[in-house]
Amino acid sequence: MPYQPPVRDYAFLLRDVLELERYAGLPAFADASIDLIDQVLEEAGKFAGEVLAPLNHVGDQEGCTWRPDFTVTTPTGFKDAYAKLVEGGWPALGADPAYGGQGLPHVVSVAFSEMSSAANMAFSMYPGLTHGAYSAIHVGGTQEQKDLYLPKLASFEWGGTMNLTEPQCGTDLGLLRTKAVPQGDGTYKISGQKIWISSGEHDLTPNIVHLVLARIEGAPAGTRGISLFIVPKFIPDADGKPGVRNSVKCLGLEEKMGIHGNATCVIAHEESTGWLIGEENRGLALMFVMMNEARLGVGVQGIAQAGAAYQAAAEFAKDRLQGRSLTGPKNPDGPADPIIVHPDVRRMLMDMRAIVEGGRCFLSWTSLHGDLAEASLDEAVRQKGRDYMALMTPVLKGFLTDRGFQVCSDAMQVHGGSGFTEHFPVSQYLRDCRIALIYEGTNGVQALDLVGRKLAADGGRGVMGFFAELDAFVAANDADEAMKPFTEGLAKAKGELQEATMWLMQNGLANPDNAGAASTDYLHLFGLTALAYMWAMMAKAAQAKIAAGSHDPLYAEKLAVGRYYVARVLPETSSRLAKLKTGADLLMALPADAF
Amino acid sequence: MPYQPPVRDYAFLLRDVLELERYAGLPAFADASIDLIDQVLEEAGKFAGEVLAPLNHVGDQEGCTWRPDFTVTTPTGFKDAYAKLVEGGWPALGADPAYGGQGLPHVVSVAFSEMSSAANMAFSMYPGLTHGAYSAIHVGGTQEQKDLYLPKLASFEWGGTMNLTEPQCGTDLGLLRTKAVPQGDGTYKISGQKIWISSGEHDLTPNIVHLVLARIEGAPAGTRGISLFIVPKFIPDADGKPGVRNSVKCLGLEEKMGIHGNATCVIAHEESTGWLIGEENRGLALMFVMMNEARLGVGVQGIAQAGAAYQAAAEFAKDRLQGRSLTGPKNPDGPADPIIVHPDVRRMLMDMRAIVEGGRCFLSWTSLHGDLAEASLDEAVRQKGRDYMALMTPVLKGFLTDRGFQVCSDAMQVHGGSGFTEHFPVSQYLRDCRIALIYEGTNGVQALDLVGRKLAADGGRGVMGFFAELDAFVAANDADEAMKPFTEGLAKAKGELQEATMWLMQNGLANPDNAGAASTDYLHLFGLTALAYMWAMMAKAAQAKIAAGSHDPLYAEKLAVGRYYVARVLPETSSRLAKLKTGADLLMALPADAF
């Protein structure tokens, strides 16, 4: 069975859990009735399932091809699919109507991102990075730059990239060496080598707009001397059409464990012509517009691959006949029972659902806060939206990709030996998913961002607001017997997360290494608690539907998976707390040369 | 830096922790002085590091090649390396001197297995499977069969395989269809298709001895009608040389995520000529001789890949300059600090060491019990050895491969983006290691073997003996202040493991699905507790050396890593216990068609 987009699950999230109708009065939601959103996601699901998914395996097998004339060819079928993507207007879902976008809420475009990434992660990175370039220009560009580039990027007629990494500088952008020399005419000559540039060169679009970090001659060393430039592959002519070929070229492709269908390029700028975007030496701030969007997108990729892998595993577990149930045959007329009867197989499938469906809710809930941060008429709501977006972004990226990879690995395990062969899709899901733990800031960097920056921001307003929200939910539902497992589990996890937060405040100041040593366990404790809240909200919505007479089995399933999450996933919070409270001393006990 | 075999670590384990000198009086150990063992492992390390490791990447890149004449070519260099392996007598380390082996204890040959598997897992599977075939014939063959095959297999002049799996039958061997028709002359005609046959066809040896499970015509259905046959690729002639080509052939190779250098074959038996080994319909018991050996070998592979991945990560973390320490520059004259200064990088490296060094000790300790099961003059010791080998085999296989894969993934994470490219070795370690969680019985099958068979065997004698041993260790060392972290951690973990064992006994009978639902968490709780014991033993040995005046930094390192294990890895036991005690009801709540 091919990939089945989770259209029904999103309808549950958007209608029953997040109750998008509540926001119908806001201008940004005015054109996005829930019925329209349903239709959009239905069509999005068809596009992902019917156009993108069939190209996933061929993309993995063929990969991209670099030629000595510095061109790159994408795998068979990618070009046609990209044309259909542009034709269908899919990438423009969330873009500004002023530049040809449809202006739908992020919470809708995230759903499309999940479906397209699950169907074909390598393919979806081409429009994904284009959207990042769109956002940076939308936020930081001059009106002229916006008018020139945004319509082409919003429609995805042109591609976009982020040119950040250099051989000596990945996480630590202060080490960046690429130079920009002002030409006195408003342009700069950019020189330097960039590596690991996703979608850096390809045959999908007539032009590619590189957003390039470089240091203007004479700028300060470190991160305060970095500027951001627009470097188009073809310099737009007077009509805004691709004109003169710029001296930016792809020197080769990386050979990678996964995402073979995406061109990961070594890019040389040999006095390429660039235009400053935003202020001089303020490039990092603008780059983080792209980066934060990309981090949320990577969290989506983790859940997307996990969701697709879950589907493959569930299908295999229902089909594969092997052994008998421990409690007596369940398929007595067949040679054996389907392996889904085995509790340990069921454990893996339930773990997968608990993470995939909980993570999907977490992504949607956070994206909605992102929408409200822009669209709400109430400044308190906007502020909360901004706080949550900032606080949750590292959690979404780090927690959901760590867990998503584990889900992919469990999905392979359900397949047994079949899963290790490339005849089944799960090896590719596992290999593709693995990069999500690394790029756009490794998960360790996310954890450090969370404990080092996000927790303390604005006097801890974001995390305190989150704790208050959890307390309020528990208080409001504590009397409801049916909600007991959820409110009790959530209250316990929240108590542990709060204890960990206090520990960090007390011990992180005394020795910053304590914060670093605790960071990954803290991020997981946070993610586990957030998913406990998501499952509690989903349970409440499902119970309300059942109480109102619905017999849709989805609601009973949500309750069952939610209870499983609380009983069998959430207990990990205690050991995370115990570990992180041991501090840095034991962890840093050995000298570096002992390794 | 190329792979560095852990020769020094094994000297510590064999001399200081396991104190092999204690057994010098036993005949089996008489020719294996500790000095000789040191020398053997030193040379083994050289062979693994200098001959096998350089072929690891090429094996991954080239893979094996199948040709329409049903031959298979191994990657460049494998044939030469194999000739050197045979010439050096490495595979014969543990084999019976009566058939040309060196008769060294298993605890020594396991060390060689780790080194060769870490250096080149795909290559090492060729001799690994040959050793399995050797063992099955050694245990179950007639004297004639032994005389004919064992010298060729002990020397690895010929290869060996296990032909078990068929398309419809993997874990559930009762579904096996391959037929054996007696010819009245002591031979059988074997017909059927086997899949996933590791080392099933290759160019390394002039003959390959397949051990094939098949059902003799008219035999009972299910597992009680399965017999084991010797099916040589070339039927030995009167001089024992490869004679007539048998009608067993390789129809193709699997395309896999890893171990590309090992030929994973589809094997067709088209009335191939076979000889029964052991009794009719008793093939499974004999096959389990191979299987149990193979399971321990797979546990070795998990730790081997993890150990090699750790080395690569440690080297990268010391070389890669990126960012500054949270507590001030540690490399002030350089552009940045090496990333090993970051606590979260250190956390991953310490996690890796805790598992690799603890797991290595667990493998050695169990293998020594395997030696004592055969060699001790005391029946109580032999019985304990047999009990422990049976009990620990699923734990070694399941726990060490699950954890080994996590180590490989963490090693990739330390590498950042570099790790995802194939220019660094860690992608291969991760991809190769992944099969170890699956083959020779998935880790879920190991967990079920542990809770369903091994715990209850002989009235629970094995596990009760293990608990008593842990109690005795704690009691003997409780007064030693320096041992407190270890004895306290071990006592707590053992208490939780015992509680889990009691829970299983009480609830597994009432509903077998409770045992299945608990099995994987129980296996990990068991493994974590076993490693707590290993670290306690290593700490005790290290402290004794330090007290005796040694300044070898290895001893201080063992204490530091051991304390880290207790503080930051072991706390997971509590959440494993909490999860497993929730039982099967929540886990089995949904009907199969809800997935």
Side-chain angles (χ1 to χ4, degrees), chain B residues 33-103:
Chain B
S33 73
I34 192 76
D35 291 332
L36 173 75
I37 290 173
D38 274 358
Q39 273 177 35
V40 165
L41 292 184
E42 189 74 43
E43 290 302 311
K46 277 188 200 156
F47 181 79
E50 295 170 11
V51 177
L52 302 185
L55 300 175
N56 202 30
H57 183 66
V58 69
D60 185 50
Q61 294 280 306
E62 282 185 20
C64 295
T65 310
W66 179 88
R67 295 208 166 73
D69 64 353
F70 310 110
T71 62
V72 171
T73 313
T74 52
T76 305
F78 272 39
K79 206 167 170 175
D80 285 351
Y82 193 88
K84 286 182 187 145
L85 180 90
V86 172
E87 191 187 309
W90 291 112
L93 277 187
D96 187 344
Y99 301 103
Q102 297 183 35

Side-chain angles (χ1 to χ4, degrees), chain A residues 170 318 322-323 413 437 595, chain B residues 170 172 318 322-323 413 437 595:
Chain A
K318 287 186 283 185
Q322 205 77 180
Q413 200 64 17
L437 286 68
F595 289 89
Chain B
D172 185 355
K318 287 186 285 186
Q322 205 77 179
Q413 199 65 18
L437 285 69
F595 289 89

Side-chain angles (χ1 to χ4, degrees), chain A residues 61 167-172 175 196 254-259 310 314 318 320-323 326-327 335-336 340-341 343-344 346-347 349-350 353 405 409 412-413 416-418 420-423 427 430-431 434-435 437-438 442-444 511-513 516-517 519-521 557 560-561 563-564 567-568 571-572 575 578-579 582-583 586-588 590 592 594-595, chain B residues 61 167-172 175 196 254-259 310 314 318 320-323 326-327 335-336 340-341 343-344 346-347 349-350 353 405 409 412-413 416-418 420-423 427 430-431 434-435 437-438 442-444 511-513 516-517 519-521 557 560-561 563-564 567-568 571-572 575 578-579 582-583 586-588 590 592 594-595:
Chain A
Q61 294 279 307
Q168 79 294 347
C169 109
T171 300
D172 185 355
L175 301 176
W196 302 345
E254 296 289 342
E255 195 189 341
K256 317 182 293 294
M257 189 169 86
I259 51 166
Y310 160 72
K318 287 186 283 185
R320 175 74 171 168
L321 303 181
Q322 205 77 180
L326 297 170
T327 55
I340 200 169
V341 304
D344 195 61
R346 198 65 74 98
R347 172 188 64 80
L349 294 174
M350 289 293 274
R353 283 186 73 155
F405 181 67
S409 185
M412 176 174 283
Q413 200 64 17
S418 300
F420 196 67
T421 73
E422 301 292 351
H423 298 297
S427 161
L430 183 76
R431 289 183 291 100
R434 188 61 186 76
I435 189 59
L437 286 68
I438 297 174
T442 65
N443 286 358
N511 175 6
D513 273 353
S519 59
T520 289
D521 285 313
E557 288 177 28
V561 179
R563 287 192 201 108
Y564 178 90
R568 300 219 26 149
E572 189 188 314
S575 59
K579 288 181 200 182
T582 59
L586 281 171
L587 187 145
M588 302 297 283
L590 291 177
F595 289 89
Chain B
Q61 294 280 306
Q168 79 294 347
C169 110
T171 300
D172 185 355
L175 301 176
W196 303 345
E254 295 290 342
E255 194 188 342
K256 318 182 291 293
M257 188 168 85
I259 53 167
Y310 160 73
K318 287 186 285 186
R320 174 75 170 167
L321 303 181
Q322 205 77 179
L326 297 170
T327 57
I340 199 169
V341 303
D344 195 61
R346 198 66 74 97
R347 171 188 64 80
L349 293 174
M350 290 292 275
R353 283 185 74 156
F405 180 68
S409 184
M412 176 173 283
Q413 199 65 18
S418 300
F420 196 68
T421 73
E422 301 291 351
H423 297 297
S427 160
L430 182 76
R431 290 183 289 100
R434 189 60 186 75
I435 188 61
L437 285 69
I438 297 174
T442 66
N443 287 358
N511 175 5
D513 272 354
S519 59
T520 288
D521 285 312
E557 288 177 28
V561 179
R563 287 193 201 106
Y564 177 91
R568 299 213 32 144
E572 188 187 315
S575 58
K579 288 180 200 182
T582 58
L586 281 172
L587 189 145
M588 303 297 283
L590 291 177
F595 289 89

